[in-house]
Amino acid sequence: SNELISSQASASWKASRPAHARLILNGAVGDDLVSNLARLPQVDGLGGFMQTSARWRLAPDADWKECVIIAIEDYRDQRYDLISLVAGQWPGSKSIAVEFNHAAPYGVPEVGGTIYVEFGKRVEALTLNGTVRDPWQAPPPFVQSPAFYVTRDVMEHLTGSRDFNQLRFTVPHYGQAEVKAAATTVEAKLNRAGSGVA
């Protein structure tokens, strides 16, 4: 059983096209800097994504609960750490998706239901229109709150920013030394731009 699970997990991980490295930033970076970093010869490709903590609830009078909100460049044109659509549709202008391993354990409504998301002083009612599988999200009990997925436009509406606070990239020829060298180069460029790596 262990061998079967291990081989299936390995095959699933490889099928997600995992990035060779992820960098969590001290600040946020925009599209222009991400495009410039993607052209570095040390990297084979580089993309940004956003992740922030927020709160959610099922109804206007329900208790708030913690959650994570994630936005990527384009759900329909992914290159690394592929998030797959399990049911429903991708997030849209007034909708949100949830990691399917988190839906039932955290009492997230079925597709078509509504949830309320709070960030700062802004509260937004969003339709849950899909469930997704994110290879980087562990199921409960290894995580304590659900992960929700929105577009960059919705993230900007909630947080006031559409810039990226994490980067991921691959290198032309994988090896630990090559990844570390590329990360050092990317970090140096970020430092000069005023956004260091945490």
Side-chain angles (χ1 to χ4, degrees):
S1 298
N2 287 339
E3 289 180 4
L4 180 61
I5 291 171
S6 178
S7 64
Q8 289 178 339
S10 179
S12 176
W13 179 252
K14 289 177 182 178
S16 74
R17 291 190 217 157
H20 294 149
R22 279 190 169 205
L23 303 178
I24 300 172
L25 309 183
N26 284 324
V29 298
D31 293 284
D32 290 343
L33 181 54
V34 170
S35 296
N36 290 336
L37 293 172
R39 289 193 290 269
L40 290 171
Q42 292 89 347
V43 303
D44 188 39
L46 180 144
F49 68 108
M50 311 163 69
Q51 180 171 317
T52 190
S53 297
R55 300 199 302 173
W56 75 285
R57 61 186 179 187
L58 290 169
D61 58 349
D63 292 334
W64 288 110
K65 305 174 186 178
E66 299 298 318
C67 69
V68 171
I69 306 288
I70 295 168
I72 65 174
E73 292 174 278
D74 188 345
Y75 290 98
R76 293 173 175 81
D77 183 22
Q78 300 181 54
R79 290 171 286 175
Y80 324 105
D81 303 333
L82 303 184
I83 298 171
S84 56
L85 185 64
V86 176
Q89 299 177 344
W90 292 114
S93 60
K94 286 288 187 180
S95 59
I96 193 168
V98 65
E99 216 296 329
F100 89 106
N101 280 314
H102 300 171
Y106 295 115
V108 178
E110 295 182 358
V111 172
T114 299
I115 67 168
Y116 297 81
V117 176
E118 178 195 59
F119 184 89
K121 294 183 178 181
R122 181 177 292 278
V123 177
E124 199 70 29
L126 297 168
T127 300
L128 188 83
N129 71 332
T131 58
V132 301
R133 177 67 188 111
D134 183 345
W136 276 88
Q137 293 298 323
F142 302 104
V143 294
Q144 303 303 313
S145 57
F148 293 105
Y149 299 80
V150 297
T151 64
R152 288 180 71 190
D153 288 341
V154 171
M155 182 70 91
E156 182 179 20
H157 182 69
L158 286 170
T159 68
S161 174
R162 62 186 293 109
D163 290 343
F164 303 110
N165 59 16
Q166 296 189 35
L167 299 176
R168 49 193 164 187
F169 66 84
T170 55
V171 296
H173 304 287
Y174 176 77
Q176 286 191 358
E178 288 79 0
V179 174
K180 288 180 180 179
T184 298
T185 300
V186 171
E187 184 172 2
K189 293 270 189 185
L190 289 167
N191 287 335
R192 286 196 290 274
S195 177
V197 176

